[in-house]
Amino acid sequence: LSAEQARMSADGEIVRLEGDVRLRRDPTATRPALHGYMPDLTINTEEETAFTESPVRFTQGGSWLKGTGMKLDNKVQTYVLQSQATGQFESRKARRQP
């Protein structure tokens, strides 16, 4: 994760990222890197969850997904867009062709 600014609660449990927040999950042997972009993100470090009510955009290879508002659960690797979700997904078969 990266952002222009971050604030942390005194106990370190809540982290508020603001300004050009970028999320990156490294690629694996079976999937390309995942990139997320949003203006702000609030993280609960103890629960390994995060949320925003702002617009979000994700890209992974030739696929993309965008919407407004998101809930993220790192333990189960889920990203739920709250509204106005649209996207385009590249099939794995199309990705393997030159």
Side-chain angles (χ1 to χ4, degrees):
L1 287 167
S2 66
E4 293 173 359
Q5 184 177 36
R7 293 184 218 161
M8 185 183 307
S9 62
D11 62 4
E13 188 171 329
I14 303 297
V15 178
R16 172 85 176 159
L17 301 173
E18 296 175 331
D20 195 25
V21 177
R22 294 174 183 245
L23 172 146
R24 182 176 192 271
R25 186 177 69 198
D26 289 335
T28 68
T30 59
R31 68 169 193 252
L34 174 72
H35 298 272
Y37 309 92
M38 60 217 73
D40 60 82
L41 185 66
T42 301
I43 302 167
N44 184 312
T45 59
E46 293 297 313
E47 295 179 7
E48 295 186 44
T49 60
F51 72 91
T52 184
E53 294 181 8
S54 299
V56 297
R57 179 174 50 95
F58 287 96
T59 61
Q60 186 172 35
S63 301
W64 61 270
L65 183 64
K66 65 180 181 176
T68 301
M70 176 194 63
K71 292 183 180 179
L72 179 151
D73 186 325
N74 192 51
K75 289 179 184 175
V76 293
Q77 294 291 305
T78 58
Y79 303 82
V80 178
L81 298 181
Q82 300 300 116
S83 67
Q84 300 174 355
T86 59
Q88 179 176 323
F89 296 93
E90 175 184 68
S91 73
R92 289 178 189 232
K93 185 177 179 181
R95 211 179 2 207
R96 290 183 191 140
Q97 295 176 353

